[in-house]
Amino acid sequence: MKSNSQNRTCLVTGEEKNKEELLRFCLTPDHQVIPDFKKKLPGKGFYLTNSRAVLEQAIKKNVFKKIGKNTQIDPNFGEIVENILKNRALEAINLAKKAGALITGFEKVRENLHKGRVAFIVEAIDAGSDGHAKIRAAAGNTEILTLFEVEELDKALNRTNTVHAAVLKGGMAEMVRSQLRKWQNFNS
């Protein structure tokens, strides 16, 4: 891969990747390692491949000492990172709803699929097999992301029984997809 300003090297694997495939962390003045996924915090930043396994390896091998001698890491660091990524993905779905770029409910999703307005579908992990089969048939080649349980989607959208949602085509779709992919890739 050619080096460019959008590429960084993973502290664990040594692989050079696009910044979008990595998670950024910072070392604070008091030597704490903290997530900086918005890439806005000052201080020495470093990157890890967006993967739970890579993060666990970094913690186990204490690779953060490469950044500074007295680095400190929260004992629940893996859980903290996981929760941030999950919450950012759910917040992106909520933001799409507020922007009018998200529709919910099987019939509305199917109707918008037929009209060609759907960028991708978000389906609850615990969707019933009948509804799952029907939405899969209606979706055709439209991507279906299955990352959250009904309860999590309900809480994010302040609704009840959110099994199927569709993000409509447009600028909002790529931002939401990016956040969902970060969550999905972290868990792969």
Side-chain angles (χ1 to χ4, degrees):
M1 176 184 299
K2 264 190 168 178
S3 184
N4 69 43
S5 65
Q6 293 301 306
N7 291 345
R8 296 291 184 267
T9 302
C10 172
L11 194 61
V12 173
T13 67
E15 294 177 74
E16 188 175 304
K17 296 183 176 187
N18 185 290
K19 288 192 288 189
E20 293 305 311
E21 299 174 65
L22 301 164
L23 298 175
R24 185 177 193 273
F25 298 89
C26 267
L27 187 61
T28 65
D30 64 346
H31 307 284
Q32 293 287 325
V33 175
I34 59 170
D36 180 24
F37 302 154
K38 292 183 181 179
K39 300 174 178 104
K40 294 187 180 200
L41 295 176
K44 184 168 179 108
F46 56 93
Y47 292 81
L48 296 177
T49 299
N50 181 17
S51 159
R52 179 187 306 275
V54 170
L55 179 63
E56 288 172 0
Q57 187 178 1
I59 293 168
K60 183 178 178 183
K61 293 184 175 182
N62 200 9
V63 298
F64 305 110
K65 291 219 182 240
K66 291 180 184 178
I67 302 303
K69 280 185 189 176
N70 302 317
T71 57
Q72 298 173 25
I73 188 161
D74 188 293
N76 301 315
F77 196 64
E79 291 173 39
I80 292 168
V81 169
E82 177 181 359
N83 287 333
I84 291 170
L85 290 172
K86 185 176 190 176
N87 288 334
R88 288 187 63 165
L90 289 166
E91 287 168 6
I93 293 170
N94 183 285
L95 188 59
K97 174 190 166 201
K98 289 178 181 177
L102 181 93
I103 53 162
T104 57
F106 177 79
E107 290 302 326
K108 288 181 183 176
V109 170
R110 186 168 62 177
E111 177 185 322
N112 280 276
L113 278 166
H114 289 304
K115 291 179 180 178
R117 298 180 63 213
V118 176
F120 61 93
I121 297 167
V122 177
E123 180 182 52
I125 294 168
D126 47 349
S129 57
D130 184 48
H132 174 73
K134 287 179 182 177
I135 203 72
R136 186 147 313 272
N141 293 329
T142 303
E143 181 180 26
I144 300 173
L145 295 171
T146 308
L147 305 171
F148 306 104
E149 294 179 354
V150 170
E151 184 178 332
E152 294 169 315
L153 291 170
D154 286 350
K155 186 176 178 184
L157 298 172
N158 197 23
R159 316 179 14 100
T160 57
N161 203 25
T162 309
V163 179
H164 298 102
V167 178
L168 302 177
K169 292 178 180 176
M172 182 66 65
E174 285 314 306
M175 182 281 295
V176 176
R177 181 181 274 130
S178 172
Q179 293 302 319
L180 295 178
R181 286 252 186 265
K182 281 192 188 279
W183 170 240
Q184 182 180 44
N185 292 342
F186 182 75
N187 289 304
S188 333

